[in-house]
Amino acid sequence: MKNYLSTEQAKVTACQLIKMKQNGEKIAILTPYDYTTAKILDDTGIDAILIGDSASNVMAGYTTTVPITLDQMIFYAASVVRGVKRALVICDMPFGTYSNPIDGVKNAIRIMQESQCDALKLEGGIEIIDTVKKIIELGIPVMGHLGLTPQSIHKFGTYAVRAKEEEEAKKLINDAHALEDAGCFGIVLEKIPAKLSALVSSELSIPTIGIGGGMCDGQVLVIDDMLGKNKGFRPKFLRVYADLHSVITNSVNQYITDVKAMDFPNSNEQY
Ligand code: KIV
């Protein structure tokens, strides 16, 4: 299996992701939430790492991303940052922390200073454009997020595919242009028709990153999902690369058996 980190390379920057699009090189992103996993991912040579607010679901077991707080996101982001030398590290601003430019700027500064990540991701289009501009003016790279925006789940009421109808698709295209004009370095397109993603990707000069968005300039997946840790979660867009649920279950069962049979620890495993 190819390892993409063949030589010691410098830190990936937000500008480099734009250059990758210009050069026709696809961008690979994954979302870990802890130091050890982040270190493994960084050692593969992955381009960027996102500390998604999906930590709310994956790490904390909430049904939505709404409950996770700024302090909790900073804790996860700081843990990940300590494990990464090379990949660009992007952190989600959690729900309610950028509902106006003043709060957005204050909370963006907190995340950058306390986690030491490299960039932030915000969900939304025209509605948050003033906040996005102010954060970028501070010198913080911002990634947008359109289509299915899980922080608005209570407004939409469903995690179904977005922008299937013309009116919503037109708004998404306008939002994508507004985010590019505001200075975003990329946009996540979540769960929208592949044709719409292709159109947006061809119109923008910044990279689009798909998750259920078809063939974009790059892809992002939640690490726990792509490693098959969450047995019941199999949305159409997900490719599962391992069966960690079985690996963990079988290993733990073997451990219980060994302990009960007094097979563990053996003489080599004692001081
Ligand atoms: O929170 C998250 O993990 C995300 C990705 C799914 C894009 O926003």
Side-chain angles (χ1 to χ4, degrees):
M1 188 71 66
K2 183 169 177 194
N3 185 311
Y4 285 83
L5 191 61
S6 44
T7 52
E8 199 58 34
Q9 287 170 24
K11 184 96 178 139
V12 178
T13 63
C15 296
Q16 253 169 280
L17 297 196
I18 299 174
K19 282 204 190 101
M20 286 173 75
K21 171 162 180 154
Q22 286 164 0
N23 296 338
E25 187 185 344
K26 297 288 181 193
I27 299 162
I29 307 182
L30 284 169
T31 71
Y33 314 100
D34 67 284
Y35 167 83
T36 310
T37 312
K39 203 164 180 311
I40 296 171
L41 296 192
D42 195 45
D43 286 344
T44 66
I46 194 152
D47 302 307
I49 279 174
L50 168 71
I51 304 103
D53 59 356
S54 51
S56 181
N57 313 100
V58 178
M59 300 304 286
Y62 290 116
T63 52
T64 75
T65 57
V66 172
I68 199 160
T69 65
L70 189 64
D71 285 342
Q72 288 163 345
M73 281 304 293
I74 289 172
F75 174 80
Y76 288 123
S79 309
V80 165
V81 166
R82 285 190 286 271
V84 176
K85 289 199 181 104
R86 179 185 171 275
L88 179 76
V89 182
I90 308 157
C91 180
D92 262 342
M93 290 194 73
F95 172 77
T97 61
Y98 54 98
S99 41
N100 60 67
I102 293 171
D103 282 353
V105 162
K106 188 180 77 191
N107 293 324
I109 292 172
R110 263 203 72 197
I111 301 176
M112 295 301 288
Q113 287 189 322
E114 294 179 32
S115 77
Q116 302 199 46
C117 69
D118 307 312
L120 301 175
K121 178 165 79 60
L122 281 70
E123 293 183 7
I126 310 277
E127 322 77 60
I128 59 158
I129 217 70
D130 290 340
T131 306
V132 168
K133 281 185 189 157
K134 289 270 176 244
I135 296 173
I136 293 173
E137 271 167 28
L138 281 173
I140 300 171
V142 171
M143 175 172 259
H145 184 151
L146 298 172
L148 175 63
T149 46
Q151 291 176 11
S152 308
I153 183 59
H154 295 305
K155 179 174 148 196
F156 297 133
T158 163
Y159 288 109
V161 177
R162 308 287 329 164
K164 279 162 79 176
E165 307 303 330
E166 200 181 329
E167 198 183 330
E168 198 183 338
K170 271 190 188 155
K171 174 167 169 26
L172 189 143
I173 295 166
N174 288 339
D175 283 344
H177 281 285
L179 289 169
E180 173 166 75
D181 294 345
C184 285
F185 71 89
I187 302 177
V188 166
L189 297 177
E190 180 164 354
K191 255 190 151 180
I192 63 170
K195 273 191 183 158
L196 179 59
S197 299
L199 179 71
V200 173
S201 304
S202 70
E203 288 190 5
L204 299 187
S205 52
I206 56 171
T208 57
I209 307 296
I211 173 159
M215 189 55 75
C216 293
D217 301 308
Q219 298 292 326
V220 59
L221 285 177
V222 169
I223 186 81
D224 288 53
D225 297 342
M226 63 88 78
L227 293 180
K229 238 175 158 183
N230 190 351
K231 203 177 176 189
F233 188 64
R234 291 287 184 277
K236 183 175 177 182
F237 68 80
L238 177 64
R239 185 174 291 181
V240 181
Y241 288 83
D243 182 6
L244 279 202
H245 186 277
S246 297
V247 171
I248 294 171
T249 304
N250 294 341
S251 305
V252 172
N253 279 333
Q254 186 61 53
Y255 167 74
I256 296 169
T257 303
D258 292 351
V259 169
K260 300 217 180 265
M262 290 191 291
D263 178 77
F264 174 78
N266 64 25
S267 55
N268 293 326
E269 292 161 335
Q270 303 182 34
Y271 298 102

